[in-house]
Amino acid sequence: PPKPKPPSPPRHSLDRASEIRQFLSPVEKQCHLKNEKAALQQLLPAYLGYTISLVTGNPLPLLVGAASLMGKDPMQEENANVHGFRGMGG
């Protein structure tokens, strides 16, 4: 009986997960930088209020700074999109 031929290697060795990872890495890097910038802008009023409260002894600036932390995270939707793209890649 004739021997069966071994399976031939794929014509293109494409790995979808690595292709998506390679494609999205600059997007994720940019998103990470934007997250850090947004976090700094969100925390700055709190730190400023804390410092003014320590210097003046008045708790009102601390409360105003803390109120700024209660706002919605401006990067939440963009982060969800980037993670969604990563999940679609497999």
Side-chain angles (χ1 to χ4, degrees):
K3 291 184 178 179
K5 290 184 179 179
S8 61
R11 226 173 117 160
H12 303 286
S13 62
L14 297 176
D15 181 17
R16 181 180 172 129
S18 69
E19 293 284 328
I20 298 254
R21 204 171 26 252
Q22 181 182 7
F23 179 72
L24 285 179
S25 68
V27 175
E28 289 176 339
K29 184 177 180 181
Q30 185 66 26
C31 188
H32 180 71
L33 292 174
K34 286 174 84 175
N35 275 336
E36 288 180 357
K37 185 176 179 181
L40 180 63
Q41 288 176 349
Q42 194 173 17
L43 287 175
L44 192 60
Y47 286 138
L48 187 62
Y50 181 70
T51 304
I52 292 173
S53 291
L54 284 176
V55 171
T56 62
N58 184 357
L60 189 59
L62 178 62
L63 295 175
V64 171
S68 72
L69 295 176
M70 299 301 162
K72 182 185 170 212
D73 181 12
M75 295 299 295
Q76 182 177 9
E77 184 177 343
E78 189 167 342
N79 289 336
N81 286 337
V82 171
H83 290 296
F85 292 146
R86 164 83 54 169
M88 288 171 37

